[in-house]
Amino acid sequence: AEEAARLLAQQPPAAAPALTLVRKLLSNLTTSPEDPKYRTVKRSTPKLKETLGAEHWQLLFFAGFVPAEDGDAVVHSGEELVVAEQVRDCLTAWLSRLEGTDGAASPHPLFWKAAESGTPVPSFAIRAGTDQDGRAL
């Protein structure tokens, strides 16, 4: 997973569609490892062919996929899923940071209003999704 994290650190925001697709492939595998359709990924699939570059395939290799004998696919044994889960989690974290959804909710709209006007920010506005009495909105 360390190699995946290093590779992700070099990815530009424009790589988000490809990385979202790789995350989906890994999520399918880790959710249903017994299902053979999630353990084989064909390189010739039009969507994959047009979306994934060599570095994105490398993430699948880091996750435990290996080239199939036919040369067109990569396969995973469905075992040793820990690394596949770690790579998936790295992808999720990278995409969340890009989208600004790293697990923390967005501040209340009054936070932004106060910040823009230079007035002190009310403390309730810092806690996302609450009113001034701390009730969920």
Side-chain angles (χ1 to χ4, degrees):
E2 289 178 26
E3 298 93 354
R6 279 195 289 276
L7 191 146
L8 286 170
Q10 301 169 8
Q11 295 298 300
L19 297 176
T20 300
L21 185 54
V22 172
R23 180 181 60 179
K24 179 68 173 169
L25 294 170
L26 292 176
S27 292
N28 289 343
L29 171 70
T30 57
T31 302
S32 302
E34 70 288 343
D35 193 333
K37 73 179 177 184
Y38 297 136
R39 293 195 317 256
T40 301
V41 179
K42 292 189 176 222
R43 293 176 187 253
S44 61
T45 304
K47 175 83 173 169
L48 299 178
K49 199 172 183 176
E50 70 183 40
T51 306
L52 302 184
E55 66 276 16
H56 309 121
W57 288 102
Q58 189 65 43
L59 288 166
L60 290 173
F61 295 135
F62 291 151
F65 281 85
V66 295
E69 290 180 19
D70 68 4
D72 177 46
V74 294
V75 295
H76 195 283
S77 68
E79 299 175 13
E80 301 295 325
L81 293 172
V82 173
V83 176
E85 290 168 345
Q86 290 172 343
V87 173
R88 179 204 59 207
D89 293 346
C90 286
L91 284 159
T92 298
W94 187 92
L95 290 163
S96 294
R97 280 192 296 276
L98 180 67
E99 297 164 355
T101 58
D102 57 1
S106 300
H108 189 281
L110 288 177
F111 171 86
W112 299 114
K113 238 181 192 172
E116 288 172 3
S117 68
T119 60
V121 178
S123 61
F124 75 86
I126 296 171
R127 292 186 307 277
T130 60
D131 65 13
Q132 53 195 4
D133 297 321
R135 292 184 300 252
L137 296 174

